[in-house]
Amino acid sequence: MNKMIQKVIDCALNEVGYLEKASDKDLYLKTANSGYNNYTKYGKEMHAIYPKTMDYPAYWCDALIDWLFVKAYGVEMAQKLLGGRFDDYTVESANLYKKNNSWYDAPCVPELGDQVFFKNTKRINHTGLVVKVSNNRIYTVEGNTSDGVGVIPNGGGVFMKSYSIYDAKIAG
């Protein structure tokens, strides 16, 4: 596996267990000041880098992915890999891939380090990072989710999840 892809996966795995905060306090401690007000180190740092489309506090599953790419690749390369800029709105983030011809409709077999997008009955509503692919399953690290089964787009922490590559909630 490419060392840079392994770096983003390692960054993601290191964040598992992080809980969003009730306020802008203790952002760099994994579990202190936990709450459901969308305060995270990911949102705060990404807002500082790209305030135009990275809101803070805000839903943060996509901010986590952008943050992971920045940590692994640096700001300039992360922007390039993510479609040219950062965006914490999952619909727009997916559109960046589509505009750059790097979107693959599900069902497909993603590669390690890919960003995967999930949908509800209306639109794309959640995202994660693929950290393992095995036996027609993908394993992801996702932010703003819970440790429950399935797609949980506003759950308050960073957790590992797994899905069949044929799961109807996977958009691409």
Side-chain angles (χ1 to χ4, degrees), residues 4-14 16 61-62 64-69 72-73 82 97 110-118 126-133 138-143 158-163:
M4 292 305 287
I5 293 170
Q6 187 61 53
K7 188 173 180 183
V8 75
I9 290 171
D10 290 345
C11 286
L13 293 172
N14 283 334
V16 171
C61 61
D62 210 303
L64 168 66
I65 304 304
D66 292 358
W67 184 89
L68 292 170
F69 273 69
Y73 305 115
L82 295 168
Y97 285 102
E111 296 181 12
L112 296 177
D114 280 353
Q115 185 172 3
V116 61
F117 291 89
F118 301 95
H126 189 62
T127 190
L129 182 79
V130 176
V131 297
K132 181 180 175 183
V133 180
I138 63 168
Y139 297 81
T140 60
V141 170
E142 301 169 28
V158 178
F159 293 98
M160 284 197 67
K161 310 282 254 185
S162 78
Y163 307 89

Side-chain angles (χ1 to χ4, degrees), residues 21 94 154:
K21 310 305 176 190
N154 191 21

Side-chain angles (χ1 to χ4, degrees), residues 76-128:
E76 189 174 313
M77 180 58 76
Q79 283 181 302
K80 183 177 179 183
L81 291 169
L82 295 168
R85 64 179 171 81
F86 303 114
D87 203 308
D88 63 7
Y89 180 46
T90 54
V91 173
E92 189 53 37
S93 187
N95 284 336
L96 292 170
Y97 285 102
K98 292 174 184 178
K99 289 174 188 174
N100 286 289
N101 295 318
S102 38
W103 175 266
Y104 300 93
D105 286 319
C108 61
V109 180
E111 296 181 12
L112 296 177
D114 280 353
Q115 185 172 3
V116 61
F117 291 89
F118 301 95
K119 62 186 175 182
N120 58 21
T121 57
K122 297 177 184 175
R123 64 174 177 82
I124 289 172
N125 69 331
H126 189 62
T127 190

